[in-house]
Amino acid sequence: MTPRKKKTPDFEQALAELESLVTQMEQGDLTLEASLSAFEEGIKLTRECQTILDQAEQKVEILTSKNGELKTAPFHIEQE
């Protein structure tokens, strides 16, 4: 059995691709056409990342609901 190919990249992969595009664009070596293409791809990757984050948030809300009531609380990262 062959592994299923994902239709969209995972979050980490999409974010790495987005960071790479930003680096290329910041260097200023791209032609106008290449810059526009990179920008378009960056927008697509940003939307994919946002969708993945939204889905993760929905899963967390489902997992934290009790007796049909959703309990929300701010998420705090403890800083040492």
Side-chain angles (χ1 to χ4, degrees):
M1 179 177 199
T2 59
R4 262 188 352 191
K5 185 176 180 182
K6 291 183 179 181
K7 291 181 183 178
T8 58
D10 64 16
F11 182 80
E12 289 80 10
Q13 181 183 355
L15 189 58
E17 290 178 28
L18 183 57
E19 289 172 346
S20 175
L21 285 173
V22 169
T23 299
Q24 290 174 18
M25 292 177 72
E26 286 178 339
Q27 291 174 352
D29 296 332
L30 298 176
T31 64
L32 178 59
E33 185 176 319
S35 292
L36 288 172
S37 179
F39 181 76
E40 183 178 356
E41 182 65 18
I43 294 296
K44 179 182 147 204
L45 290 167
T46 300
R47 289 179 179 154
E48 287 176 6
C49 286
Q50 186 60 50
T51 298
I52 293 168
L53 289 173
D54 290 343
Q55 291 171 348
E57 182 180 9
Q58 290 173 355
K59 287 179 184 178
V60 169
E61 287 178 358
I62 290 168
L63 293 172
T64 59
S65 67
K66 292 185 179 183
N67 299 327
E69 294 181 33
L70 180 61
K71 303 289 183 185
T72 59
F75 179 76
H76 297 285
I77 298 174
E78 294 182 25
Q79 296 182 1
E80 296 178 16

